[in-house]
Amino acid sequence: YMSASPSSTSQVAKRILEVRTKFKDFINQYSFDTAEVIDLFNQNFIGSALLEEKLMLYAKVGAHLEALNVLVYQMKDHRAAEMYCYRHYKREKTRKGHLNTHQEEKSKDASNSPFLHLIRIYLYPDNVGETDQQQDQFHQICISLLERHSDHIDAENVLDMLPSTLSVSQLQVYLSLLFSSHAHIRNQHRIVKNLYKADNLKVRLAYLEVKKNK
């Protein structure tokens, strides 16, 4: 038994790179069915490998939840997940330039909003084995995301998702940004109404705290 020589190892690596490059070109050139792509990755060995190609395919067919799961859980790249959402938001804003932010989120594809998918991933991780420390880290990432993109995400959808475990102090900056944002002025009465109907007492208290300090 002899180990592979450095030259043969280099040739194999080069060949793998060539194949992956051709695969990426193939992804860019052709159209795919969303269900078929998801089924492929769920059942085939490719589902645990070729993450860049997997991400490209998911993004191309609009499987945003699956793409974000790859970025967060497999690639562990939270910045890339945020930028994925923001790029999609900018594309949609350009495509629907006559609509405001709230209308965009309320459009027929609002349920597939990447930002809302990402927030849900952070607030309610799929991995039940997550430690309290990991969950706290995800919650903090989510709160920072909300603070940076309060103008880009429909507030009512966000408030519906917030768990009761989030404290008033954690939410205060986001709510302050939310209610001072011109993008939400028209919708504040509806947001306030939903806040007072919400089961989450801490969210209501957070809102009252913000109003008191303004």
Side-chain angles (χ1 to χ4, degrees):
Y1 171 77
M2 296 181 63
S3 60
S5 66
S7 60
S8 63
T9 301
S10 176
Q11 289 175 356
V12 170
K14 182 179 179 180
R15 180 57 181 159
I16 290 174
L17 180 60
E18 290 174 352
V19 171
R20 294 187 71 171
T21 300
K22 289 181 179 179
F23 186 28
K24 290 178 181 178
D25 290 340
F26 174 77
I27 292 171
N28 286 327
Q29 292 174 16
Y30 294 93
S31 299
F32 305 90
D33 178 77
T34 305
E36 289 179 353
V37 168
I38 294 175
D39 186 61
L40 170 69
F41 287 131
N42 284 341
Q43 298 186 22
N44 197 283
F45 73 93
I46 198 174
S48 59
L50 303 179
L51 292 182
E52 290 180 18
E53 294 80 359
K54 185 177 181 181
L55 180 61
M56 286 178 64
L57 268 171
Y58 279 150
K60 182 158 188 175
V61 300
H64 302 307
L65 176 59
E66 289 76 11
L68 290 166
N69 274 322
V70 170
L71 286 166
V72 172
Y73 290 118
Q74 295 184 268
M75 301 179 78
K76 301 184 186 304
D77 193 335
H78 302 290
R79 177 62 176 168
E82 178 179 348
M83 293 310 298
Y84 178 99
C85 297
Y86 184 68
R87 284 194 298 270
H88 181 271
Y89 167 83
K90 293 293 286 184
R91 284 196 298 269
E92 287 297 289
K93 189 175 179 65
T94 300
R95 186 170 69 89
K96 305 175 182 177
H98 62 289
L99 299 179
N100 61 33
T101 301
H102 180 74
Q103 288 172 315
E104 287 172 10
E105 291 289 350
K106 289 298 183 183
S107 65
K108 63 182 180 180
D109 60 346
S111 61
N112 198 31
S113 163
F115 267 125
L116 293 178
H117 281 316
L118 186 57
I119 290 166
R120 191 174 289 107
I121 286 171
Y122 287 141
L123 292 179
Y124 304 99
D126 286 340
N127 186 354
V128 295
E130 295 282 350
T131 65
D132 289 343
Q133 183 177 5
Q134 288 170 321
Q135 288 182 348
D136 288 344
Q137 180 187 20
F138 268 25
H139 284 180
Q140 187 53 55
I141 292 172
C142 179
I143 291 166
S144 297
L145 182 75
L146 289 172
E147 291 171 1
R148 285 192 294 274
H149 298 282
S150 60
D151 285 349
H152 305 150
I153 312 170
D154 179 71
E156 292 175 68
N157 281 314
V158 172
L159 294 173
D160 285 343
M161 281 192 285
L162 291 177
S164 59
T165 52
L166 291 179
S167 69
V168 170
S169 59
Q170 287 174 297
L171 293 168
Q172 187 165 348
V173 173
Y174 167 63
L175 289 172
S176 296
L177 290 168
L178 180 66
F179 287 97
S180 63
S181 169
H182 293 298
H184 294 289
I185 286 176
R186 294 182 185 176
N187 308 310
Q188 284 190 16
H189 67 285
R190 282 195 293 174
I191 294 170
V192 172
K193 182 179 179 181
N194 282 357
L195 278 170
Y196 277 100
K197 290 195 304 183
D199 292 331
N200 186 347
L201 177 61
K202 287 187 177 181
V203 173
R204 296 202 302 269
L205 290 174
Y207 168 69
L208 293 174
E209 184 89 9
V210 170
K211 294 294 286 184
K212 181 180 70 176
N213 293 331
K214 289 185 74 171

